[in-house]
Amino acid sequence: MGLTSKTVLLLAAVLAVVLFALTVWLWPRLGKRNVGSILGRVGMLFVTQLSLFAAIGLYANYSFGFYASWADLFGQEQDQGVVVDHSAGAHRVQVVGTQQVNVPRASVPRVAGRIEKVNIQGPESRIASPAYVYLPPEYFQPAFAKRTFPASVVLTGYPGTAEALIKGLHYPQTAHKLAKDKKMQPTILVMMRPTVAPPRDTECMDIPDGPKTETFFTKDLRKALSQQYRIGTKAANWGMIGDSTGGYCALKLAMRHPEAYGAAASLSGYYKAPQDPTTGSLFGGSKQLEQENNLIWRLKHKPLPKISMLVTSSKQGEHNYKDTMKFIDLAAKHPTRVSSMILESGGHNFNTWRREIPGTLQWMGSRLSA
């Protein structure tokens, strides 16, 4: 009966309906003007509204993946992901579990592929973080035994859960279908959240006297996974996709480190890091560091990198539409290649991103090399 269970969501919805009906049924009996009746009416209204808000909250969490478990919801999750073994024989990637892809013949990896849950250790950043690695069916087929594969890091928004990329946004299933239909090349997906130093939102940067998230994504992660799996080591072999905060991270990391990522796709991403209680002080008072992490500023004042970028937005429903169009105008210069996917309408939510993911994966597959 986990927090993201359909059973819990259904029970909450049924309970809300039953309590509402019970309130309507009992209301005439509680119509007297005495303390007992008044307390009864207050109690019935309170319980009914509480059950309704609980059902709505569970549905929102099920749809958007804000919290992964009850422990996560109540702040009891203590997995900080920062302990690193620096001994010479330490493995930088530890596989801690496997799961099937939700496609036909899921139990046969050479047909359905496989998802591995891993812990990635970063000796340079001193950060360790969990991730899910989707290995396509071709990875297990004899004909591809000596082939290296392209990889795309897929990031959630903040706070987000990596599980939502599988259960809510269906990245592995979509990549499997597109590759089967010959619409994209087989690609390894590394699915995780950008919050690799929880609970702090680092906006994927090396914070002065703080977590070195940028180093983790641009150096540690790529090196560790290329040693564990048959992934190429060049920037042309690596891409990054993200939604919301993850979209900002994808664009920024590719723009600042074209030697690490050759392509980046931002679904409803923004272009300037916010500063709020979840981020704390990101720039240590440095105006220069703040400007260098502003993507619009970079396009105006820094040489354009040789990378490919995809940005998405909606004319109605997204707050980043005007900034996205400005970004496109500034980025559409050689040697940078910029593409866009603009919907007529669509909010900042999973339903919108599910509409954009197939085209994004096809675009990414055409930009990476094996």
Side-chain angles (χ1 to χ4, degrees):
M1 299 287 280
L3 180 63
T4 59
S5 167
K6 287 184 179 180
T7 302
V8 170
L9 177 59
L10 181 61
L11 287 175
V14 170
L15 180 62
V17 172
V18 169
L19 287 173
F20 175 78
L22 189 62
T23 299
V24 174
W25 178 261
L26 294 177
W27 197 261
R29 301 184 183 183
L30 300 172
K32 298 179 180 180
R33 293 184 178 181
N34 55 53
V35 175
S37 296
I38 292 173
L39 291 177
R41 293 198 297 271
V42 171
M44 291 296 292
L45 287 173
F46 176 76
V47 172
T48 301
Q49 292 191 37
L50 182 64
S51 66
L52 178 62
F53 283 124
I56 293 173
L58 286 168
Y59 176 76
N61 188 70
Y62 180 82
S63 299
F64 302 112
F66 297 122
Y67 299 97
S69 64
W70 295 107
D72 191 18
L73 174 65
F74 292 111
Q76 298 173 340
E77 182 60 63
Q78 300 298 318
D79 182 9
Q80 296 296 308
V82 295
V83 178
V84 179
D85 182 1
H86 294 283
S87 61
H91 293 289
R92 294 186 177 182
V93 177
Q94 296 177 331
V95 180
V96 296
T98 62
Q99 65 185 70
Q100 297 177 354
V101 183
N102 187 21
V103 296
R105 299 185 66 187
S107 62
V108 185
R110 68 177 183 277
V111 176
R114 186 170 70 199
I115 298 171
E116 296 187 349
K117 184 177 183 180
V118 301
N119 287 326
I120 305 169
Q121 297 184 348
E124 288 196 45
S125 63
R126 295 183 178 272
I127 286 175
S129 179
Y132 289 91
V133 178
Y134 163 70
L135 301 171
E138 290 80 3
Y139 192 86
F140 303 96
Q141 297 172 5
F144 295 84
K146 296 183 178 180
R147 176 180 173 177
T148 59
F149 288 78
S152 182
V153 179
V154 183
L155 300 178
T156 68
Y158 177 84
T161 64
E163 292 87 348
L165 297 170
I166 301 171
K167 298 178 180 179
L169 293 177
H170 309 145
Y171 268 97
Q173 301 94 308
T174 305
H176 179 276
K177 184 179 187 305
L178 290 172
K180 184 178 180 181
D181 294 341
K182 307 299 182 184
K183 294 182 179 179
M184 70 172 288
Q185 63 176 319
T187 303
I188 293 173
L189 302 180
V190 183
M191 297 167 287
M192 57 194 305
R193 58 182 186 172
T195 315
V196 295
R200 189 173 186 180
D201 176 12
T202 63
E203 294 294 318
C204 296
M205 66 173 290
D206 286 354
I207 300 175
D209 300 319
K212 297 185 179 299
T213 309
E214 190 168 355
T215 297
F216 176 81
F217 278 117
T218 57
K219 295 182 179 179
D220 289 334
L221 179 141
R222 293 176 68 257
K223 185 174 183 179
L225 291 174
S226 292
Q227 291 176 345
Q228 176 73 17
Y229 301 103
R230 300 196 308 275
I231 303 174
T233 58
K234 299 178 180 179
N237 309 132
W238 284 87
M240 184 174 282
I241 303 170
D243 59 73
S244 193
T245 299
Y248 165 72
C249 288
L251 293 179
K252 182 177 70 172
L253 292 175
M255 291 174 69
R256 286 173 57 87
H257 297 275
E259 78 286 351
Y261 294 98
S266 171
L267 310 185
S268 306
Y270 43 85
Y271 304 96
K272 177 183 177 181
Q275 291 198 79
D276 54 37
T278 66
T279 65
S281 176
L282 291 174
F283 310 112
S286 171
K287 185 64 176 180
Q288 179 181 352
L289 188 58
E290 182 177 357
Q291 289 176 332
E292 290 181 353
N293 283 271
N294 183 321
L295 306 189
I296 301 293
W297 184 92
R298 292 191 67 86
L299 291 177
K300 292 179 179 178
H301 298 92
K302 292 285 186 178
L304 296 181
K306 189 178 180 180
I307 59 172
S308 296
M309 297 185 291
L310 170 67
V311 292
T312 79
S313 187
S314 303
K315 294 180 180 179
Q316 182 179 353
E318 282 284 12
H319 297 297
N320 75 335
Y321 175 69
K322 290 183 179 179
D323 285 341
T324 296
M325 302 311 294
K326 182 188 299 184
F327 183 88
I328 293 170
D329 290 339
L330 292 171
K333 300 176 183 178
H334 185 78
T336 299
R337 299 169 62 190
V338 63
S339 304
S340 68
M341 185 188 303
I342 307 297
L343 303 179
E344 288 297 322
S345 65
H348 199 77
N349 55 52
F350 275 27
N351 183 59
T352 296
W353 299 330
R354 278 192 291 263
R355 295 160 61 195
E356 296 169 342
I357 287 171
T360 298
L361 286 173
Q362 292 182 64
W363 176 89
M364 184 63 73
S366 68
R367 294 301 190 273
L368 301 181
S369 61

